[in-house]
Amino acid sequence: MIRKKLNIGLFGFGCVGYGLYEVLEKTPGLKANIKKICVKQRDKLRPLKSEHYIYDKDEILDDPDINVVVELIDDADAAFEIVSAALKKGKAVVTANKKMIAEHFHELLELQKEHQTPLLYEAACCASIPIIRNLEEYYDTDLLESVEGIVNGSTNYILTKIVKENTSFDDALLQAQQNGFAESNPMLDTGGFDAKYKLLILLVHSFGIIVKPEEIFNLGIDRIGQLELKYAKEKGFKIKLIAQAFRNESGNISAFVIPKFIKPEEKLFGVDDEYNGVQTKTSFADTQFFVGKGAGAYPTASAVLSDLSALTYDYRYEYKKFHQKANLQLSESTVVNILLRHNKNAAAELKKKFIDVEEIYLNGEAGYLIGKIELSVIKEIANKTDKSTSIVLC
Amino acid sequence: MIRKKLNIGLFGFGCVGYGLYEVLEKTPGLKANIKKICVKQRDKLRPLKSEHYIYDKDEILDDPDINVVVELIDDADAAFEIVSAALKKGKAVVTANKKMIAEHFHELLELQKEHQTPLLYEAACCASIPIIRNLEEYYDTDLLESVEGIVNGSTNYILTKIVKENTSFDDALLQAQQNGFAESNPMLDTGGFDAKYKLLILLVHSFGIIVKPEEIFNLGIDRIGQLELKYAKEKGFKIKLIAQAFRNESGNISAFVIPKFIKPEEKLFGVDDEYNGVQTKTSFADTQFFVGKGAGAYPTASAVLSDLSALTYDYRYEYKKFHQKANLQLSESTVVNILLRHNKNAAAELKKKFIDVEEIYLNGEAGYLIGKIELSVIKEIANKTDKSTSIVLC
């Protein structure tokens, strides 16, 4: 068996880019060589000498020797420009940019098809957990019932710090950023957008559904307040930001990102710090559970490396679930159990929104309602309210 | 994309065979049809009417319409005969028979190569956990440091019952058999042989090493006695039967199956009952952890189903690690920490076997030594002793 030799043009040399450089140095078995590194700022202090860098993207895109482009830059729009140009030029592409992928899924699919060039992005979803390839290769749409998990390492790190060490939200966020776990725009993490982009990718490879980011509801961890944290502590629960997609009562698919109370007996309870964990449920095999580091330079670089290794064997995603045309639709008509924390005076109005209220709590300032509610109503409440109102799935 | 239509000849209709039949009924998306079911005994009570069965294997092997043979019989020798005949006839084969695979790895590899027919066996290792395909596709030999896990559902079920419910070993074994988790010959499970066969398969797909079963040391759970169980209980540990392969100090690979004390903070601690859990460690991405049901009709049938699904896309194992020729060797020269429980009067003699003894315990009848010891010496002690002596890794 002959493995293809990879000549890499690398875009971006931040922590993941440098991580990849180091990992490749220690992987002699992989015939991959970084030929050029394209960076944006000329005057930035960087780990390699200046002769290693180029500043014009066409030096990579127009280089016929370069057969693989690895895109590891921060800016999703610039990334899309680079990735689509590379695919058009017949270069295989490996990217870790979930925002870019989520925002341009249809176009990227078309480009791959039209130019017969592979685009791999295992690093874009749960870093070191090979979840995309598992969903793509291993699970049949018919049998898959749900995919859910902690897919954002940064918020999981923050929530772990808050619960374990009573760190404040702001301090925990700062620590996540210092450790290289967080996006440069923290709202992408804490607002649940990063998790949503990943969920969008999971949806394609699990149920064959391609949607736009705005079609999936996301609620981040930035509304989580003392009352919910106290509630969790008293019950022995943790709060985790969960991305989930499942077959709902109508046979369609519900998909959303909302924080959730996790009980000690649940598998995700033990997934702390920057780890990610994804659980799949199938009709016959019950649950499978995958855990690995979901953020950080080396775990992400390792996933990029695995994609590079796959390219040497001509691997490409076949988008099996999408092509199987199971015709599953995304649907918001599903009922979930939530705890809704609110200002004291909002209780009566919010109570009407529930299908069924099981618990009511009020103190001098605030309160919460626990009960069954439609997903579409959660969305409506979230849109109309601010941090005074917080929603956690039960 | 056109998916191949599968016409299946099924050998064996025990709990996994019938499970597969049921799972296929509920998977309309998979174009797979069981054309013939070959069973051994004519007079056995079976779930389907007698017209569904045939009794002559050649009715399947000589049927040109049948393009896939699924082998789910108990007898490893008969299974090898069927599997090799099918491969020679150009039929793809899916099997769950780890003993057969482990005993004939080289021959099966040759047959696949010579006749260009795929042999898939995800169900043979950890049932519903897609570990073979992950090792095959995702991890590069250079970066993989270790693979370890609970790979035998039956012994894990027994150990869980013993620890949680104070069930006796014999009762727990009986329950495992009644639930369809155990091999018909219990010694295959309790003696650690089944785990060893699986480890042998893992070794091929993780480090590219093909060995004979007798080259891997296995110690089962049948020597575990009250003293070790009491020790575990007092410390809050569990005892699990662990199959492991890792890069040792010399850069070669050590691989063995030995019971181990598992601490609450270890990921495998939570893997109970018939669940399996496998942990991989790579140089850069730290650990990945996979959990799923490792025994039972449906989990095993689901893995068979995934292999069938993969065949519709012309998937086959490429034995990448083996072909990469990293030239890793299996080596017994590694030092491990163990607790060695012994008869009172054997203490002095056994103590000499250790490189370093850290703890000594003695009561009126028995005692234990804790310390560092060479793997080859453990093997020697195990071979020379009976149930009066028990070894658990620390």
Side-chain angles (χ1 to χ4, degrees), chain A residues 29 138 142-143 289 291 305-306, chain B residues 29 138 142-143 289 291 305-306:
Chain A
Y138 197 73
D142 285 326
L143 296 173
F289 183 49
V291 183
L305 188 83
S306 284
Chain B
Y138 198 74
D142 284 326
L143 296 173
F289 184 49
V291 183
L305 188 83
S306 284

Side-chain angles (χ1 to χ4, degrees), chain B residues 67 96 130 147 270 333 339:
Chain B
N67 54 3
V147 181
S333 63
L339 176 149

Side-chain angles (χ1 to χ4, degrees), chain A residues 7-54:
Chain A
N7 255 327
I8 298 168
L10 173 61
F11 286 90
F13 207 63
C15 65
V16 178
Y18 185 51
L20 178 67
Y21 179 88
E22 287 184 287
V23 173
L24 276 175
E25 294 269 294
K26 299 199 178 146
T27 319
L30 184 67
K31 303 272 168 282
N33 158 53
I34 299 181
K35 194 180 173 196
K36 291 173 186 168
I37 303 170
C38 183
V39 292
K40 200 172 158 192
Q41 290 163 273
R42 282 178 192 266
D43 49 356
K44 202 169 162 183
L45 201 67
R46 295 183 194 278
L48 303 182
K49 283 184 187 163
S50 65
E51 65 257 31
H52 286 87
Y53 307 108
I54 58 158

Side-chain angles (χ1 to χ4, degrees), chain B residues 90-331:
Chain B
K91 298 185 196 303
V93 177
V94 175
T95 175
N97 202 316
K98 44 258 166 187
K99 185 167 188 282
M100 186 270 293
I101 299 167
E103 284 172 346
H104 299 279
F105 215 104
H106 270 296
E107 293 146 281
L108 291 170
L109 203 62
E110 275 307 303
L111 283 167
Q112 288 175 75
K113 203 172 145 192
E114 197 182 334
H115 301 278
Q116 287 296 304
T117 41
L119 169 69
L120 300 182
Y121 41 80
E122 189 63 76
C125 195
C126 302
S128 72
I129 308 177
I131 188 65
I132 298 175
R133 243 182 286 170
N134 271 289
L135 289 170
E136 180 70 16
E137 303 301 323
Y138 198 74
Y139 297 100
D140 218 69
T141 312
D142 284 326
L143 296 173
L144 197 63
E145 288 179 1
S146 65
V147 181
E148 66 161 347
I150 297 164
V151 299
N152 179 277
S154 164
T155 49
N156 203 40
Y157 181 88
I158 293 168
L159 289 171
T160 304
K161 286 275 159 198
I162 290 174
V163 170
K164 270 196 191 165
E165 298 167 24
N166 279 319
T167 314
S168 74
F169 181 89
D170 291 341
D171 284 351
L173 173 60
L174 191 67
Q175 283 179 42
Q177 285 174 319
Q178 282 165 346
N179 282 309
F181 302 147
E183 297 291 324
S184 52
N185 172 4
M187 188 58 191
L188 285 181
D189 289 319
T190 60
F193 293 94
D194 178 85
K196 175 163 82 169
Y197 302 143
K198 288 165 179 168
L199 179 60
L200 189 148
I201 297 172
L202 293 176
L203 265 175
V204 180
H205 293 279
S206 53
F207 295 110
I209 294 174
I210 303 180
V211 292
K212 289 274 171 199
E214 52 272 25
E215 294 175 65
I216 299 175
F217 175 64
N218 60 299
L219 194 67
I221 64 164
D222 46 351
R223 291 185 179 206
I224 294 173
Q226 288 309 315
L227 203 57
E228 305 88 281
L229 286 168
K230 193 167 155 267
Y231 178 89
K233 206 166 191 173
E234 283 171 4
K235 305 268 180 190
F237 300 164
K238 289 178 183 173
I239 300 178
K240 302 280 185 190
L241 184 63
I242 304 293
Q244 54 184 302
F246 57 89
R247 249 172 243 276
N248 62 27
E249 313 85 69
S250 68
N252 284 317
I253 303 296
S254 295
F256 45 84
V257 176
I258 306 178
K260 190 180 175 187
F261 293 114
I262 303 291
K263 300 181 181 68
E265 62 269 26
E266 292 182 77
K267 290 214 168 68
L268 291 169
F269 190 85
V271 179
D272 283 334
D273 301 312
E274 78 268 31
Y275 276 85
N276 282 185
V278 180
Q279 181 160 301
T280 59
K281 195 168 179 346
T282 59
S283 316
F284 287 98
D286 211 333
T287 59
Q288 276 91 45
F289 184 49
F290 304 81
V291 183
K293 280 195 177 166
Y298 289 132
T300 311
S302 288
V304 171
L305 188 83
S306 284
D307 279 349
L308 289 173
S309 176
L311 285 178
T312 67
Y313 297 108
D314 278 326
Y315 178 78
R316 58 185 62 198
Y317 301 138
E318 294 188 21
Y319 298 97
K320 288 172 189 166
K321 314 299 168 66
F322 178 68
H323 290 293
Q324 277 175 21
K325 300 249 170 277
N327 286 321
L328 292 166
Q329 303 291 327
L330 210 59
S331 145

Side-chain angles (χ1 to χ4, degrees), chain A residues 230-241:
Chain A
K230 194 168 154 264
Y231 178 90
K233 204 164 194 175
E234 282 171 7
K235 305 268 179 189
F237 300 165
K238 288 179 184 172
I239 300 178
K240 302 282 187 189
L241 185 63

Side-chain angles (χ1 to χ4, degrees), chain A residues 298-369:
Chain A
Y298 290 133
T300 311
S302 289
V304 171
L305 188 83
S306 284
D307 278 349
L308 290 172
S309 176
L311 284 178
T312 66
Y313 296 108
D314 278 325
Y315 178 78
R316 57 184 62 198
Y317 302 137
E318 294 187 22
Y319 299 97
K320 288 171 190 167
K321 314 300 167 66
F322 178 68
H323 290 295
Q324 278 175 19
K325 299 253 172 272
N327 285 322
L328 291 167
Q329 302 292 326
L330 210 59
S331 144
E332 275 182 8
S333 62
T334 195
V335 174
V336 292
N337 269 309
I338 63 164
L339 177 150
L340 177 74
R341 191 249 305 149
H342 52 74
N343 275 343
K344 192 187 168 191
N345 50 16
E349 196 54 39
L350 286 170
K351 202 180 159 204
K352 293 180 203 157
K353 307 278 187 187
F354 279 73
I355 295 168
D356 183 26
V357 173
E358 287 154 21
E359 285 180 51
I360 293 176
Y361 170 84
L362 261 184
N363 65 26
E365 289 162 4
Y368 62 72
L369 297 157

